[in-house]
Amino acid sequence: MELSTRRTAGAVKLLLIIHAVLLFAGLYAHLSTYRLYSEMPELYWHLPHPARDVQRFVVLAQLCSFFITAIFFLLWTYRSYRKLSALSDRNLRFSPGWAVGWYFVPIMNLFRPYQVMEEMWKESAPDADPSRIEEGKSRTGSPLLKGWWGLWLLSHLLAGVLGVRPMDPGESALFMFLTGIAGILLCLVTFFLVRAIDQRLAKKRALMERQIREKARAFP
C-alpha cells in the first residue's frame, strides 16, 4: 500500500505539471484570439488565423489532460484515505469510497470534498495521538487547504459560466484566459497539497513503525 500510494502521488504531481504547462500554452492562444476579434470583429470568421487552430488544439489537449489528471487524483485520494484509515485508531468520518464519491454528488460536492481533504490533513499529522479522540477535532487545517478549495470552486464557476452563457469569440477567449489563470494556480496549489499530505502520511507511518519496534524491544 505504501509504495502504490507514493507512486500514485508522484503520478498526480507529474500530471499536474503537464496540465499547468498546457494551460499556460493556452493563455497565448486565447489572448491572440481575443485581440484578433477585438480588432476585426466583422472579418474574424473570414480571415485565416493560426491562433484559432492552436486554440482548438490546446483546448482539446487540456480536456484530455484534465480527465487523466482527475482520474489519478481521485485514485490518490482513495488510496491515501484508505492508508490513513489503517494508520489511525480513530474512526474516520468517511470511507475511502465516499472520499471519492462526494465529488460526484450534486450540492454535496460543494463542501464534502473539502471536509474529506481537511480530515486527511489533520489526521495525517505525524504527531497525532490516536488515543486522544478530541485531538483531531481541535487541530486546525492548513491555509493551503482553503486556497485549494477556493481555486477549485472558482475554476469550476468560470468553466460553468463559459458553458452556459452565450458569448462572442472575443468574450469566450477572455473567459478562457481567466479560467486558464485560475487553473494554473489550482494546479500549483494542488501539487503542493498532494506533496504535503503524502509526506505527512509517510512520516506518520515511519513514526508508528518506530514506536512498534521500541515497544517490542521494551517487552521482549
Side-chain angles (χ1 to χ4, degrees), residues 63-114:
L63 286 174
C64 295
S65 174
F66 170 79
F67 284 113
I68 295 174
T69 304
I71 290 172
F72 274 85
F73 176 78
L74 294 175
L75 179 61
W76 170 79
T77 301
Y78 177 86
R79 288 180 172 177
S80 297
Y81 204 88
R82 184 179 61 179
K83 179 180 177 181
L84 184 60
S85 300
L87 294 176
S88 178
D89 286 349
R90 281 190 288 265
N91 292 325
L92 300 183
R93 186 176 181 183
F94 309 100
S95 67
W98 274 113
V100 172
W102 286 123
Y103 283 92
F104 304 96
V105 181
I107 307 301
M108 304 298 286
N109 58 11
L110 296 177
F111 58 91
R112 275 286 192 255
Y114 172 80

Side-chain angles (χ1 to χ4, degrees), residues 37-38 50-51 67-68 79 94 107 129 147 149 177 183 193 204:
Y37 186 82
S38 299
F67 284 113
I68 295 174
R79 288 180 172 177
F94 309 100
I107 307 301
D129 184 358
W149 193 242
F177 181 84
L193 181 62
K204 186 179 183 72

Side-chain angles (χ1 to χ4, degrees), residues 82-165:
R82 184 179 61 179
K83 179 180 177 181
L84 184 60
S85 300
L87 294 176
S88 178
D89 286 349
R90 281 190 288 265
N91 292 325
L92 300 183
R93 186 176 181 183
F94 309 100
S95 67
W98 274 113
V100 172
W102 286 123
Y103 283 92
F104 304 96
V105 181
I107 307 301
M108 304 298 286
N109 58 11
L110 296 177
F111 58 91
R112 275 286 192 255
Y114 172 80
Q115 293 174 341
V116 169
M117 201 64 65
E118 184 181 38
E119 185 174 44
M120 288 175 62
W121 179 271
K122 292 178 180 179
E123 295 296 332
S124 64
D127 58 342
D129 184 358
S131 64
R132 297 176 58 185
I133 299 177
E134 295 299 325
E135 185 173 306
K137 297 179 181 179
S138 63
R139 289 179 177 271
T140 57
S142 168
L144 197 61
L145 282 170
K146 295 179 175 60
W148 166 73
W149 193 242
L151 287 168
W152 177 279
L153 293 177
L154 176 62
S155 297
H156 284 73
L157 175 63
L158 291 174
V161 172
L162 186 63
V164 300
R165 178 184 171 185

Side-chain angles (χ1 to χ4, degrees), residues 29-38 40-41 44-45 52 55-56 162 166-177:
H30 300 325
L31 189 59
S32 298
T33 301
Y34 173 74
R35 288 175 175 173
L36 176 65
Y37 186 82
S38 299
M40 298 175 292
Y44 174 81
W45 296 109
R52 288 204 302 266
Q55 185 185 37
R56 295 191 188 98
L162 186 63
M167 298 183 185
D168 59 46
E171 290 178 325
S172 177
L174 181 59
F175 251 87
M176 294 179 76
F177 181 84

